């Protein structure tokens, strides 16, 4: 089997990281893979040892020419399946390219953003099969009219060997982020976009800090709202003493195990890879009851859920966890076990491979 993968993201997090896991696993199973990605993207280097990488211009939704470039690559590669991993235009133009070349097309849907039924009816007929990374996303698509037989839930994976409970870097962590002995830390790892809920967390912090005056809060990531959030933090006397925004980090496997709590009060979320990583590191979670987050956070087992935007609930749950080392330890241990059992890389690879085989079999029948 040969699979052409198309990933239009420039940065190596979220979906792009899942693509690397998938390429590695498919290669181990003898599947020949080719990856088309934007010129200069981070995934190009990371994927090179697992697949043939073809860098090309990918300019987003308006890049009609991407259809022609991908058609040319399909004719050269002659794949059995085309797997589209992202939006940014590749979901539409890649599907057209595959259709025009007569190759089965699989789409990975990683977000739970609703689309109009009219758009869904036109767009999703282009795909032979659709993979969702959570059941929450699958339910969104079913509610919009996508046939159930076409939609398959294959959970995203986390590398539980890289992300594991390990506080041997605690001194480095404290020195790097200015955390004193005995001070507790809340982390948030997310793009700075409105639906991730940074504002909800900032709104909750004054009441949390009133009970935990030595608390440090570290907001990791980048995105269009970074400047706005940073300005709010710097302009507030209380927040500026306790909150920092160190940007995007490539060493989260060292950072996450040193956190005391991970907060993710998102309003919309396909699944939440940072939640999986933190849970694998034994960190208790507090997140919004949105999208696929409830498939990771099990209240009373490994964390707590709040209604998105409910600041009072976020204050309550954060204070509960920060106030009990025993509870944090218990939730952290259970969280690691939950991830190991349900979100393995092998299960994700086998799930996608099964969808490829189904798409090919259906084409043979028709």
């Amino acid at each position: 089997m040969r699979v052409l993968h198309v990933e239009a993201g420039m940065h190596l997090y979220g979906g792009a990281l899942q693509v690397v896991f998938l390429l590695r696993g498919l290669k181990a199973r003898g599947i020949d893979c080719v990856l088309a990605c934007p010129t200069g993207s981070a995934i190009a280097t990371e994927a090179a040892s697992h697949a043939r990488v073809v860098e090309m211009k990918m300019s987003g939704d308006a890049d009609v020419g991407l259809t022609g470039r991908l058609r040319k690559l399909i004719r050269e590669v002659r794949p059995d399946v085309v797997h589209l991993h992202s939006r940014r235009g590749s979901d539409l133009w890649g599907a057209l390219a595959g259709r025009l070349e007569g190759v089965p097309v699989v789409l990975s849907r990683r977000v739970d953003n609703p689309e109009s039924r009219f758009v869904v009816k036109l767009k999703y007929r282009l795909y032979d099969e659709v993979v969702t990374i959570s059941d929450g996303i699958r339910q969104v698509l079913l509610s919009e009219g996508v046939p159930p037989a076409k939609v398959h839930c294959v959970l995203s994976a986390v590398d539980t060997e890289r992300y594991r409970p390990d506080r041997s870097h605690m001194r480095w962590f404290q020195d790097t982020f200015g955390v004193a002995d005995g001070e507790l830390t809340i982390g948030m790892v997310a793009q700075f976009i409105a639906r991730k809920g940074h504002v909800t967390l900032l709104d909750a912090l004054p009441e949390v800090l009133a009970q935990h005056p030595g608390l440090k809060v570290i907001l990791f990531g980048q995105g269009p709202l970074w400047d706005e959030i940073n300005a709010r933090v710097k302009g507030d006397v209380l927040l500026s003493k306790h909150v920092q925004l160190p940007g995007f980090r490539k060493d989260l496997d060292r950072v996450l195990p040193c956190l005391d709590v991970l907060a993710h009060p998102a309003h919309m979320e396909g699944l939440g890879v940072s939640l999986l990583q933190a849970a694998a590191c034994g960190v208790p979670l507090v997140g919004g009851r949105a999208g696929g987050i409830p498939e990771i956070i099990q209240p009373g087992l490994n964390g707590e859920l709040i209604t998105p935007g409910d600041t009072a609930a976020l204050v309550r749950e954060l204070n509960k966890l920060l106030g009990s080392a025993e509870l944090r330890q218990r939730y952290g241990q259970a969280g690691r076990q939950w991830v190991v059992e349900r979100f393995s890389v092998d299960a994700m690879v086998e799930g996608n491979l099964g969808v490829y085989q189904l798409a090919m079999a259906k084409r043979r029948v028709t």
Side-chain angles (χ1 to χ4, degrees), residues 219-234:
L219 309 180
F220 298 98
Q222 57 194 21
L225 292 184
W226 191 94
D227 289 337
E228 179 180 322
I229 297 296
N230 186 54
R232 174 175 172 179
V233 169
K234 299 301 183 187

Side-chain angles (χ1 to χ4, degrees), residues 12-334:
L12 192 63
Y13 50 67
L17 194 58
Q18 295 296 311
V19 176
V20 174
F21 291 161
L22 179 58
L23 293 174
R24 185 178 67 195
L26 291 173
K27 181 181 179 182
R29 289 160 174 77
I31 308 301
D32 184 18
C33 291
V34 179
L35 171 68
C37 60
T39 302
S41 60
I43 194 175
T45 301
E46 196 71 19
S49 58
H50 311 305
R52 175 191 166 195
V53 176
V54 179
E55 298 183 64
M56 63 173 62
K57 176 185 174 185
M58 293 185 182
S59 303
D61 292 337
D63 186 8
V64 182
L66 181 58
T67 304
R69 293 190 290 276
L70 288 174
R71 288 189 70 183
K72 181 179 178 181
L73 182 59
I74 290 170
R75 288 194 292 269
E76 175 195 337
V77 171
R78 300 180 64 83
D80 298 291
V81 176
V82 173
H83 189 166
L84 309 172
H85 290 279
S86 59
R87 302 174 92 176
R88 302 180 185 86
S90 66
D91 55 343
L92 176 59
W93 308 125
L96 286 173
R99 280 289 176 184
L100 291 170
E101 295 301 323
V103 181
V105 177
V106 173
L107 172 75
S108 278
R109 176 72 186 263
R110 302 186 182 279
V111 295
D112 59 348
N113 306 42
E115 298 175 289
S116 73
R117 293 182 74 92
F118 175 74
V119 170
V120 167
K121 185 176 181 180
L122 292 177
K123 182 177 174 182
Y124 282 80
R125 67 176 58 181
L126 296 172
Y127 311 122
D128 292 77
E129 310 295 335
V130 180
V131 173
T132 65
I133 64 167
S134 70
D135 188 63
I137 299 175
R138 184 175 187 273
Q139 295 305 319
V140 169
L141 292 183
L142 297 184
S143 72
E144 294 171 344
V146 181
K150 182 181 279 194
V151 189
H152 316 275
C153 178
V154 179
L155 296 170
S156 283
V158 62
D159 186 343
T160 55
E161 289 303 308
R162 179 181 177 189
Y163 291 93
R164 59 188 306 112
D166 178 6
R167 288 205 158 203
S168 63
H169 303 293
M170 181 58 78
R171 179 53 58 191
W172 164 85
F173 173 82
Q174 291 177 316
D175 292 343
T176 300
F177 299 105
V179 179
D181 289 341
E183 289 184 333
L184 297 174
T185 55
I186 293 174
M188 181 171 174
V189 182
Q191 280 185 284
F192 280 77
I193 53 179
R195 65 186 178 88
K196 298 295 184 178
H198 292 86
V199 170
T200 303
L201 178 57
L202 293 183
D203 288 345
L205 284 182
E207 289 188 64
V208 176
L209 289 167
Q211 288 198 32
H212 305 279
L215 179 68
K216 291 291 191 297
V217 181
I218 312 173
L219 309 180
F220 298 98
Q222 57 194 21
L225 292 184
W226 191 94
D227 289 337
E228 179 180 322
I229 297 296
N230 186 54
R232 174 175 172 179
V233 169
K234 299 301 183 187
D236 185 293
V237 174
L238 180 64
L239 294 181
S240 64
K241 292 179 180 178
H242 296 271
V243 181
Q244 52 186 292
L245 289 77
F248 177 74
R249 304 279 306 199
K250 295 183 178 180
D251 54 357
L252 288 177
D253 53 324
R254 291 209 295 172
V255 170
L256 290 175
C258 299
L259 298 174
D260 294 293
V261 178
L262 186 95
H264 196 79
H267 298 259
M268 300 179 72
E269 186 63 82
L271 185 62
V273 171
S274 66
L275 290 168
L276 290 175
Q277 293 169 337
C281 291
V283 180
L285 312 171
V286 177
R289 190 179 287 102
I293 294 176
E295 294 168 59
I296 301 174
I297 300 180
Q298 303 297 299
L301 176 71
N302 61 1
E304 301 296 346
L305 292 169
I306 66 163
T307 300
D310 188 341
T311 304
L314 183 58
V315 170
R316 182 178 64 251
E317 301 304 344
L318 288 175
N319 279 336
K320 181 171 71 176
L321 279 169
L322 293 169
S324 173
E326 184 277 330
L327 184 61
R328 293 196 302 273
Q329 182 179 27
R330 177 156 51 89
Y331 278 13
Q333 290 174 345

